[in-house]
Amino acid sequence: MEAAIIDGIILSKQLREEISQRTAQITKKNGVRPGLAVIIVGEDPASQVYVRNKVKACEDVGFHSILERYPDTLQEEALLDRIKQLNHDDSMNGILVQLPLPKHIDAKRVLETIAPEKDVDGFHVANAGALMVGEPEFIPCTPYGCMKMLESIDFPVKGANAVVVGASNIVGKPMAMLLLKAGATVTVCNSKTRDLPSHTKNADILVVATGRPKMITGDMIKPGAVVIDVGINRLPDGKLCGDVDFESAKKVAHSITPVPGGVGPMTITMLLMNTLEAAEKMH
Ligand code: GUN
């Protein structure tokens, strides 16, 4: 039997309806809408598309949002000053600085300048630390979305062997912490891992976030596993594909997220959720 598809578009739609309703309640009660400030520095075309999509999603659920674009000549101090202003601006519940930043700007310093209670990306060390000790405040949007996808299917996480391939601060590490908190036994693989298939074949839940197109094939997957594919890669023919080879994987998996239409739409949805939660905490 072929794997069931975990549809990120349908799940996103449901969650965004919930977000719209809770937004309307906040707006009615306080007379102000949840607000998100998005900052982009430089001209990276992919980043420009991402930030436009984020701002559009905010409008769709009834948030107030601003998009500030700066040239890549912007000095670090000027960016830090603007973030400090936004930290004190009560109309903005969330602040997001799109990555990557130009090389002359220290991204770590920028992320640490955002007030943790407005860090809707969940990248501040205070939020990373809170997740590490099992008391998450803001969860990074992509792993948060992956957990929502897991929750949406009838598959027990408690006691499962979960394998995360990729150990980035944005996806792999926070994903491992969330799975651990949910009661899974977690293995994190990285680019130095010896005999990767020996790990992936043992996974009841396999999360892949490497940025390497189709690197996980069906023969590396345990029959009946849940496969969450975080990758979004553009092939030479212009088509999008994940880090998992969907065609061979779907023949062995219990369920799988497609690319496109899987984790991608969930990431922006969870950004909206974090911004809403920031506003709810503030009011
Ligand atoms: N660049 C790629 N993904 C992200 C993200 O989730 N947040 C930010 N701020 N920048 C990104």
Side-chain angles (χ1 to χ4, degrees), residues 47 50 54 96-100 111 121 123 141-142 170 267:
S47 294
Y50 292 145
K54 288 173 186 181
L96 182 149
V97 179
Q98 186 67 20
L99 302 176
L111 296 178
D121 259 329
F123 294 167
C141 304
T142 300
I170 295 182
T267 295

Short mmCIF file of all heavy atoms in Angstrom, two decimals, residues 47 50 54 96-100 111 121 123 141-142 170 267, ligand 1:
data_model
loop_
_atom_site.label_atom_id
_atom_site.label_comp_id
_atom_site.label_asym_id
_atom_site.label_seq_id
_atom_site.Cartn_x
_atom_site.Cartn_y
_atom_site.Cartn_z
N SER A 47 14.92 35.34 -0.90
CA SER A 47 14.50 35.98 0.36
C SER A 47 13.40 37.01 0.12
O SER A 47 12.48 37.15 0.93
CB SER A 47 15.70 36.67 1.03
OG SER A 47 16.63 35.71 1.44
N TYR A 50 10.23 35.13 -0.08
CA TYR A 50 9.82 34.63 1.24
C TYR A 50 9.17 35.75 2.06
O TYR A 50 8.12 35.55 2.67
CB TYR A 50 11.01 34.08 2.04
CG TYR A 50 11.63 32.82 1.48
CD1 TYR A 50 13.00 32.59 1.55
CD2 TYR A 50 10.85 31.82 0.89
CE1 TYR A 50 13.58 31.43 1.04
CE2 TYR A 50 11.42 30.67 0.39
CZ TYR A 50 12.78 30.49 0.46
OH TYR A 50 13.34 29.34 -0.04
N LYS A 54 5.37 36.15 3.60
CA LYS A 54 5.12 36.29 5.04
C LYS A 54 4.18 37.46 5.31
O LYS A 54 3.22 37.35 6.08
CB LYS A 54 6.45 36.47 5.80
CG LYS A 54 7.27 35.19 5.87
CD LYS A 54 8.68 35.39 6.46
CE LYS A 54 9.46 34.07 6.34
NZ LYS A 54 10.82 34.11 6.89
N LEU A 96 10.96 40.03 12.81
CA LEU A 96 11.64 38.98 12.06
C LEU A 96 12.67 39.62 11.13
O LEU A 96 12.32 40.48 10.35
CB LEU A 96 10.60 38.19 11.24
CG LEU A 96 11.10 37.01 10.41
CD1 LEU A 96 10.01 35.97 10.31
CD2 LEU A 96 11.55 37.43 9.02
N VAL A 97 13.91 39.22 11.28
CA VAL A 97 14.96 39.68 10.36
C VAL A 97 15.28 38.50 9.45
O VAL A 97 15.73 37.44 9.92
CB VAL A 97 16.22 40.14 11.12
CG1 VAL A 97 17.30 40.57 10.13
CG2 VAL A 97 15.89 41.28 12.08
N GLN A 98 15.02 38.68 8.17
CA GLN A 98 15.20 37.58 7.22
C GLN A 98 16.69 37.23 7.08
O GLN A 98 17.54 38.12 6.94
CB GLN A 98 14.61 37.97 5.85
CG GLN A 98 14.61 36.87 4.83
CD GLN A 98 13.67 35.71 5.16
OE1 GLN A 98 12.74 35.83 5.96
NE2 GLN A 98 13.90 34.56 4.57
N LEU A 99 16.99 35.96 7.11
CA LEU A 99 18.35 35.46 6.90
C LEU A 99 18.45 34.88 5.49
O LEU A 99 17.43 34.44 4.96
CB LEU A 99 18.67 34.37 7.94
CG LEU A 99 18.55 34.80 9.40
CD1 LEU A 99 18.80 33.61 10.32
CD2 LEU A 99 19.47 35.95 9.73
N PRO A 100 19.58 34.84 4.85
CA PRO A 100 20.87 35.30 5.36
C PRO A 100 21.02 36.81 5.29
O PRO A 100 20.36 37.47 4.48
CB PRO A 100 21.86 34.63 4.40
CG PRO A 100 21.11 34.45 3.12
CD PRO A 100 19.67 34.24 3.51
N LEU A 111 20.34 38.71 15.88
CA LEU A 111 19.29 37.86 16.47
C LEU A 111 19.22 38.04 17.98
O LEU A 111 18.13 38.02 18.56
CB LEU A 111 19.54 36.39 16.12
CG LEU A 111 19.47 36.04 14.62
CD1 LEU A 111 19.77 34.56 14.39
CD2 LEU A 111 18.11 36.40 14.02
N ASP A 121 10.65 34.05 15.36
CA ASP A 121 11.41 33.00 14.67
C ASP A 121 11.92 31.95 15.66
O ASP A 121 12.29 30.85 15.25
CB ASP A 121 12.65 33.62 13.99
CG ASP A 121 12.47 33.84 12.49
OD1 ASP A 121 11.74 33.06 11.87
OD2 ASP A 121 13.08 34.79 11.97
N PHE A 123 14.75 32.16 17.30
CA PHE A 123 16.19 31.98 17.08
C PHE A 123 17.06 32.55 18.21
O PHE A 123 18.26 32.31 18.26
CB PHE A 123 16.63 32.65 15.76
CG PHE A 123 16.06 32.02 14.51
CD1 PHE A 123 16.15 32.68 13.29
CD2 PHE A 123 15.47 30.76 14.54
CE1 PHE A 123 15.64 32.11 12.12
CE2 PHE A 123 14.96 30.18 13.39
CZ PHE A 123 15.05 30.85 12.17
N CYS A 141 9.83 28.08 13.57
CA CYS A 141 8.60 27.81 12.80
C CYS A 141 8.61 26.47 12.06
O CYS A 141 7.59 25.77 12.02
CB CYS A 141 8.36 28.94 11.81
SG CYS A 141 8.30 30.55 12.62
N THR A 142 9.74 26.12 11.46
CA THR A 142 9.74 24.88 10.65
C THR A 142 9.58 23.63 11.54
O THR A 142 8.68 22.82 11.28
CB THR A 142 11.01 24.81 9.77
OG1 THR A 142 11.00 25.94 8.90
CG2 THR A 142 11.05 23.55 8.95
N ILE A 170 18.32 26.00 13.09
CA ILE A 170 16.98 26.43 12.68
C ILE A 170 16.02 25.24 12.62
O ILE A 170 14.85 25.38 12.94
CB ILE A 170 17.05 27.15 11.31
CG1 ILE A 170 17.83 28.45 11.44
CG2 ILE A 170 15.67 27.40 10.74
CD1 ILE A 170 17.93 29.27 10.17
N THR A 267 5.46 26.32 7.55
CA THR A 267 6.44 27.20 8.20
C THR A 267 5.86 28.61 8.37
O THR A 267 5.95 29.19 9.46
CB THR A 267 7.75 27.22 7.37
OG1 THR A 267 8.30 25.91 7.42
CG2 THR A 267 8.76 28.19 7.93
N1 GUN B 1 15.70 32.38 6.03
C1 GUN B 1 15.30 31.13 5.67
N2 GUN B 1 14.39 30.66 6.56
C2 GUN B 1 14.20 31.64 7.48
C3 GUN B 1 13.36 31.74 8.62
O1 GUN B 1 12.62 30.82 8.99
N3 GUN B 1 13.46 32.90 9.31
C4 GUN B 1 14.28 33.90 8.94
N4 GUN B 1 14.31 35.00 9.69
N5 GUN B 1 15.07 33.84 7.88
C5 GUN B 1 15.02 32.71 7.15
#
